[in-house]
């Protein structure tokens, strides 16, 4: 492949560095010389340490996201997505609990970069997008800033409660 994309926090399912490295080595073997692997991660000033819940009302349902605090010994957290919906026939509000549930390991940008380089990739690049959250009429509304490329030469300290990163790495040409 010229490009592999491991998105929607797919690498967060690997709970140990050994498994993450093994996955990146498999990806390395699957991309052509000059090919790129892209993966994503998450974090924030609030995200790791406090339970999170936010709701978003949509036209016919309510979306509810919850995240437990990150365990500082394992960097693991559980996240879930629930839905509340109005039954058209009865008009009653129903709830679909734990429609999606995730057991994630939050990887730092440095850990992902180290594992990518150890797997054989080079030119690891990182883009970060910070989210601004505000409550409006009981809903949490978010506005994502444009993603900016981080540089090894300049320190960057994210200040947002929540942020997402994209990490891209290239397989050497020969």
């Amino acid at each position: 492949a010229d490009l592999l994309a491991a998105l929607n926090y797919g690498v967060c399912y690997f709970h140990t560095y050994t498994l993450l490295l093994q996955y990146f080595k498999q990806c390395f073997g699957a991309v052509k010389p000059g090919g790129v692997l892209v993966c994503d991660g998450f974090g924030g000033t609030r995200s790791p340490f406090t339970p999170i819940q936010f709701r978003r009302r949509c036209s016919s349902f309510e979306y509810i996201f919850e995240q437990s605090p990150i365990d500082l010994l394992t960097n693991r957290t559980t996240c879930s997505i629930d839905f509340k919906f109005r039954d058209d026939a009865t008009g009653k509000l129903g709830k679909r609990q734990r429609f999606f549930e995730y057991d994630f390991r939050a990887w730092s940008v440095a850990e992902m970069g180290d594992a990518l380089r150890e797997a054989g990739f080079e030119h690891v690049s990182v883009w970060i997008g910070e989210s601004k959250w505000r409550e409006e009429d009981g809903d949490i509304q978010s506005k994502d800033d444009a993603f900016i490329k981080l540089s090894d030469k300049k320190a960057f300290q994210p200040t947002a409660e929540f942020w997402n990163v994209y990490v891209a790495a290239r397989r050497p040409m020969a």
Side-chain angles (χ1 to χ4, degrees), residues 54-58 61-65 81-83:
F54 68 82
R55 300 169 180 265
R56 180 170 294 144
R57 287 190 187 105
C58 301
F61 64 93
E62 184 176 29
Y63 166 94
I64 305 155
F65 173 85
I81 297 173
D82 304 332
F83 295 97

Side-chain angles (χ1 to χ4, degrees), residues 28-42:
F28 182 86
V31 294
K32 297 176 183 175
V36 175
L37 169 65
V38 178
C39 56
D40 58 355
F42 65 93

Side-chain angles (χ1 to χ4, degrees), residues 30-113:
V31 294
K32 297 176 183 175
V36 175
L37 169 65
V38 178
C39 56
D40 58 355
F42 65 93
T45 58
R46 179 174 167 198
S47 152
F49 308 111
T50 58
I52 298 165
Q53 182 186 72
F54 68 82
R55 300 169 180 265
R56 180 170 294 144
R57 287 190 187 105
C58 301
S59 59
S60 61
F61 64 93
E62 184 176 29
Y63 166 94
I64 305 155
F65 173 85
E66 294 181 278
Q67 179 183 324
S68 67
I70 292 176
D71 180 326
L72 294 178
L73 294 177
T74 63
N75 270 7
R76 285 173 70 172
T77 183
T78 56
C79 304
S80 66
I81 297 173
D82 304 332
F83 295 97
K84 280 188 178 179
F85 53 91
R86 188 161 306 281
D87 185 313
D88 290 335
T90 66
K92 293 182 179 180
L93 206 59
K95 186 172 183 179
R96 184 87 185 255
Q97 287 189 294
R98 303 279 187 231
F99 193 78
F100 296 104
E101 194 164 26
Y102 310 95
D103 178 5
F104 280 161
R105 200 274 193 203
W107 293 100
S108 73
V109 172
E111 289 171 317
M112 286 193 285

Side-chain angles (χ1 to χ4, degrees), residues 8 19-20 53 120 137 169:
N8 202 25
L19 286 174
L20 181 68
Q53 182 186 72
D137 298 328

Side-chain angles (χ1 to χ4, degrees), residues 126-140:
V126 178
W127 289 265
I128 187 167
E130 296 186 289
S131 296
K132 296 189 174 40
W133 297 84
R134 61 179 163 69
E135 190 165 338
E136 183 177 290
D137 298 328
D139 284 347
I140 299 294

